Each structure stands twice: as structure tokens, then as C-alpha cells.
Amino acid sequence: MELGGCCYQFRIALLGDSTVGKTSLLRRYVSGAPGAAEATVGVEFYSRALQPPAGPRVKLQLWDTAGHERFRCITRSFYRNVVGVMLVFDVTNRASFEHIRDWHQEVVSTQGPDKVIFLLVGHKCDLQSARCVSTQEAEELAMSLGMAFMETSVKSKCNVDQAFDTITSAIQQALKQGDIKLEEDWGGIRCLYRAPNPRSYGRKQGPGPCQC
């Protein structure tokens, strides 16, 4: 599939237990300042526009979801309209790592196994003395679930941008190869703006501004 001439919107959700740092990751990525994050209630939205070196302009619509069980019925309703999911655990919290399979299964049971790009994220990697999940163990889990793995830290600014760039690039590649397709009734990927046919330029009609 040719991606040129269209400004895309990708919906990406961050899932994981409460307090693993999903909101801090998003705030660092979107604004550059993590700040003190209160517990998310239901779902909150962030966005950031990107112009990749190769490919069309992309607007990321980023969904910050609550990790508390009492909000799960709310967050499950959003799974059907995401194309990317970052599964986040805290490397100092063993339980948050052990729950990753459950989070993964929730999305797969809703969307199916082939419609979502996943990335496993081990957050707070700066806290080496408190680590209870090894890099090797996390890599093995990611491999078994068929996804990539990265470690991040808001405090040390380690791999925050790279994590979002990685999942965005994977979505672009899947779209280009036809593994994921645009669908009218699905909000995971949308074409927000399509450039006019080049033949129309002869009439002195320039392309309208991208609305990303």
C-alpha cells in the first residue's frame, strides 16, 4: 500500500497495572515534562504530530488507561479502536510483569491477534537496585507473545521517544505491507487528509493544509 499523500492518525493505548508509570511516560513524550501524575480515572487522551524521515505525516492519538480493576469495564470498550498497544510494567514490581499476559489477552480477545501492533515496555529501568524483573526475562516474554521489548525511564529520559517511535514505525510498516488496512468503521487508523491529485496542480490549485 502506498502511504504517500495522506496524513494518518494512529490510535495507541498504554495498558498495564496502576502505578507502573503510563501517565508519566505519556507526559514526558508529549510535553517533555513528566510531572507528578495522579491515578488515571477511566481514559485520558494525549496527542502528538510527527513527520517521519520517510513516509507521510502522522498524528498519534494516545490513550492513557486506568490500571485499577474497577475501571476495566471502561477501558475494555476502547480496545476495538486501537491499532497500537504499549504493554507497560514496572521492572521493580513483579506483579505488574506477571499481569502482562492478562492485559495482552484482553486486547487479543477483543480485536483478534492480527489487528494490533504491540510493544512491551519495562518502565523505571533507572531503579536498578530495586529491579525484580530481568531484561532477559522480559525479552523472553516479548518473544513468546510476538512483540518487541524496550526498557524506559522517565527519570533518566531513557528510550521514551524511542519507544513511541518504535511502535509508530511498526504500524507504518504493517500498513504499507497490507497487514493492517484502513476500515471505515474502525478508528485505529484514519486518513485525516489526502493530497489532491497532482494533475489538478495545473489549474493553480495548491494542496490544502494538513489538518494533523
Side-chain angles (χ1 to χ4, degrees):
M1 176 180 180
E2 178 58 49
L3 300 187
C6 186
C7 175
Y8 288 97
Q9 174 181 278
F10 297 160
R11 287 185 179 175
I12 299 173
L14 273 67
L15 302 181
D17 287 4
S18 178
T19 75
V20 297
K22 301 185 296 295
T23 303
S24 294
L25 269 172
L26 276 169
R27 290 183 179 177
R28 171 68 78 181
Y29 177 65
V30 172
S31 67
E38 297 180 357
T40 302
V41 177
V43 178
E44 295 180 359
F45 301 90
Y46 297 79
S47 66
R48 178 169 169 177
L50 302 176
Q51 179 59 69
R57 188 174 174 84
V58 175
K59 178 181 179 181
L60 301 184
Q61 188 180 85
L62 305 164
W63 295 7
D64 182 16
T65 62
H68 287 291
E69 180 63 34
R70 67 180 181 275
F71 297 122
R72 297 285 275 277
C73 62
I74 300 174
T75 57
R76 286 191 189 104
S77 66
F78 289 91
Y79 295 166
R80 295 184 185 278
N81 283 301
V82 297
V83 67
V85 171
M86 295 172 67
L87 297 172
V88 186
F89 70 93
D90 176 351
V91 300
T92 71
N93 182 336
R94 183 76 192 178
S96 70
F97 174 71
E98 293 174 347
H99 294 158
I100 288 295
R101 286 188 182 274
D102 297 331
W103 287 105
H104 177 259
Q105 183 56 39
E106 278 195 6
V107 179
V108 170
S109 63
T110 302
Q111 278 270 47
D114 303 319
K115 205 170 181 179
V116 180
I117 302 298
F118 289 94
L119 176 67
L120 181 62
V121 177
H123 191 39
K124 306 181 185 180
C125 65
D126 58 289
L127 302 176
Q128 288 296 326
S129 62
R131 177 189 283 269
C132 58
V133 180
S134 70
T135 300
Q136 180 180 351
E137 189 175 12
E139 288 175 341
E140 290 173 354
L141 174 62
M143 184 177 297
S144 71
L145 295 175
M147 64 184 72
F149 168 66
M150 295 189 74
E151 291 190 344
T152 62
S153 168
V154 165
K155 186 175 181 179
S156 66
K157 302 180 182 180
C158 175
N159 287 339
V160 176
D161 285 1
Q162 290 87 337
F164 289 92
D165 290 346
T166 295
I167 195 168
T168 300
S169 296
I171 294 168
Q172 288 178 306
Q173 187 66 21
L175 183 61
K176 183 177 181 180
Q177 293 176 349
D179 298 329
I180 294 175
K181 299 179 181 179
L182 287 167
E183 298 176 19
E184 282 190 16
D185 59 346
W186 181 53
I189 298 178
R190 288 182 175 174
C191 182
L192 301 180
Y193 167 81
R194 189 177 297 278
N197 189 315
R199 294 177 182 176
S200 67
Y201 295 164
R203 301 176 184 178
K204 298 182 180 181
Q205 294 178 348
C210 180
Q211 300 301 315
C212 291

